[in-house]
Amino acid sequence: MRTRPLKVALLGCGVVGSEVARIMTTHADDLTARIGAPVELAGVAVRRPSKVREGIDPALVTTDATALVKRGDIDVVVEVIGGIEPARSLITTAFEHGASVVSANKALLAQDGAALHAAAVEHGRDLYYEAAVAGAIPLIRPLRESLAGDKVNRVLGIVNGTTNFILDKMDSTGAGYQEALDEATALGYAEADPTADVEGFDAAAKAAILAGIAFHTRVRLDDVYREGMTEVTAADFASAKEMGCTIKLLAICERAADGGSVTARVHPAMIPLDHPLASVRGAYNAVFVEAEAAGQLMFYGPGAGGAPTASAVLGDLVAVCRNKLAESTGPGESAYTQLPVSPMGEVVTRYHISLDVADKPGVLAQVATVFAEHGVSIDTVRQQGKDGEASLVVVTHRAADAALTGTVDALRKLDTVRGVASIMRVEGE
């Protein structure tokens, strides 16, 4: 066993970074045995050096992150500061000065993953990022390594704990969106500004990463269709229950049936209660993978939080340190298929449309005609009316998003249609 320690620089010491430092200290002997050499925390870059950080030697703390990653004696840089800059510059600088990188930065990887992988290859270093998607759940490594010999056709998952908590609360208690969000905020599941979560930005970044790995092609954040869940109502949940469904904010990455393209999208969707994802409660995450040979696989667990995310970071740290000792590198980017990413208009799925209509004869016939004219086949229709007003709920067979959009635009022009109350996709069937 090597006695000279492998030196680790930690960029960021917030909720996740502090847990990484704690585990490195409390599990030092186990990490040494698993890696084959000691690991030493050689420096911690922070913005506020005066803050007391329990268990961390103040002498290790610095505000000069660039100087830390340029030291030359650093073997691994752990980046948990998030955001695009200065994280991007620090990671590339780390590669240039001989360090491999472990990152939890989903936004950066979704936007510039290809460039970061290229920099890692250029300098013969590792770039690992298990913690960037779904917290403690082992997902990146199974997709990148365990399923490397298989063909993945679909990845369907709940990858944001905040939104799942809110939607689960709305489903189980009948609470409205704002009431459920307030509870999530009070419990610490939602940030003071929850936009990244509830508008789907966080999940979209994760979808881009998952799609790129699953389909061996480059998928950037801009390629991912994104729709938030702030418009989901208690009435939507009532409709879902009548269909034997619930509602989840899903990240969906699919290979086209002909294998010639892929899609990546994030949006609320109804899923049947007998689907494994329907039973994922609270702030938990779960990802459902469909592969040609392996069949259906599901990965489940806590998707956020200091300790769970730090667990994923430490797993990567062990792997990278082992590679360092073996003078090798692990798997890098696999983008050989170079498949195009199809626009949302070409995505085919089922839809649940709720319309406010006039309660008089002939309305259903008019609505059905519009659907037929746009090539959208109706599966079921439910109509309720009272005092001259009615609601009409239409569930379609599978149709392209563009065709459904055209249908809805035409419905809005009918004199008998007062408004479109909601439109929601139906997945998981």
Side-chain angles (χ1 to χ4, degrees), residues 76-79 91 94-95 99-103 125-128 320:
V76 184
V77 169
V78 174
E79 183 272 309
I91 289 173
F95 290 144
S100 291
V101 174
V102 173
S103 176
R125 303 303 165 192
D126 272 323
L127 174 62
Y128 275 52
V320 169

Side-chain angles (χ1 to χ4, degrees), residues 77-97:
V77 169
V78 174
E79 183 272 309
V80 289
I81 56 178
I84 305 302
E85 287 291 355
R88 174 170 50 197
S89 297
L90 291 170
I91 289 173
T92 54
T93 300
F95 290 144
E96 292 167 0
H97 287 79

Side-chain angles (χ1 to χ4, degrees), residues 20-386:
V20 170
R22 183 189 66 79
I23 295 172
M24 285 185 64
T25 302
T26 58
H27 295 181
D29 291 343
D30 287 336
L31 291 173
T32 298
R34 293 167 190 171
I35 292 169
V39 287
E40 174 187 302
L41 189 59
V44 182
V46 300
R47 286 184 296 177
R48 297 186 298 275
S50 60
K51 180 180 177 180
V52 176
R53 294 171 173 86
E54 187 177 348
I56 296 178
D57 183 352
L60 298 178
V61 177
T62 178
T63 58
D64 194 342
T66 301
L68 178 60
V69 300
K70 282 184 173 180
R71 270 177 38 175
D73 65 334
I74 299 297
D75 295 291
V76 184
V77 169
V78 174
E79 183 272 309
V80 289
I81 56 178
I84 305 302
E85 287 291 355
R88 174 170 50 197
S89 297
L90 291 170
I91 289 173
T92 54
T93 300
F95 290 144
E96 292 167 0
H97 287 79
S100 291
V101 174
V102 173
S103 176
N105 196 331
K106 52 188 170 287
L108 178 57
L109 288 159
Q111 178 171 305
D112 290 320
L116 294 178
H117 275 292
V121 171
E122 178 184 354
H123 297 284
R125 303 303 165 192
D126 272 323
L127 174 62
Y128 275 52
Y129 44 90
E130 184 68 65
V133 179
I137 304 172
L139 185 59
I140 301 298
R141 193 170 287 112
L143 284 173
R144 192 160 67 169
E145 299 178 30
S146 303
L147 294 173
D150 207 339
K151 180 181 179 182
V152 176
N153 292 316
R154 194 177 197 220
V155 179
L156 172 75
I158 299 165
V159 294
N160 183 277
T162 299
T163 55
N164 198 58
F165 177 89
I166 293 170
L167 292 172
D168 180 42
K169 186 62 61 173
M170 292 175 70
D171 185 26
S172 60
T173 68
Y177 166 75
Q178 189 60 51
E179 182 182 353
L181 172 60
D182 290 344
E183 182 172 351
T185 304
L187 293 172
Y189 293 129
E191 302 286 347
D193 179 2
T195 302
D197 295 323
V198 301
E199 294 295 351
F201 291 102
D202 175 85
K206 295 171 182 176
I209 296 169
L210 290 174
I213 296 171
F215 307 133
H216 303 278
T217 198
R218 286 178 178 166
V219 180
R220 299 181 74 251
L221 181 59
D222 292 345
D223 296 322
V224 181
Y225 172 83
R226 177 195 55 78
E227 185 180 317
M229 42 78 72
T230 57
E231 301 300 319
V232 177
T233 66
D236 292 325
F237 274 101
S239 294
K241 288 180 179 179
E242 290 178 359
M243 289 181 58
C245 293
T246 188
I247 299 171
K248 299 291 186 181
L249 184 76
L250 298 178
I252 305 170
C253 311
E254 294 179 303
R255 189 191 299 268
D258 63 4
S261 64
V262 299
T263 60
R265 50 198 166 102
V266 169
H267 54 72
M270 295 181 179
I271 58 172
L273 292 174
D274 59 1
H275 191 282
L277 292 178
S279 61
V280 178
R281 311 301 297 270
Y284 275 71
N285 284 191
V287 177
F288 200 71
V289 177
E290 298 176 11
E292 196 168 89
Q296 297 178 334
L297 309 170
M298 183 162 153
F299 301 83
Y300 169 85
T309 305
S311 171
V313 170
L314 266 295
D316 280 350
L317 179 62
V318 168
V320 169
C321 287
R322 287 171 174 170
N323 292 342
K324 184 81 173 182
L325 292 178
E327 299 183 348
S328 65
T329 56
E333 183 189 32
S334 175
Y336 71 91
T337 63
Q338 299 183 30
L339 295 173
V341 182
S342 296
M344 187 62 187
E346 297 179 13
V347 171
V348 175
T349 189
R350 296 180 68 204
Y351 291 86
H352 176 283
I353 305 104
S354 179
L355 305 171
D356 295 326
V357 300
D359 187 15
K360 62 182 183 181
V363 173
L364 180 55
Q366 286 184 327
V367 169
T369 297
V370 170
F371 275 88
E373 289 173 347
H374 288 81
V376 179
S377 177
I378 294 175
D379 182 19
T380 62
V381 177
R382 185 175 71 256
Q383 184 174 7
Q384 294 178 326
K386 183 179 181 182

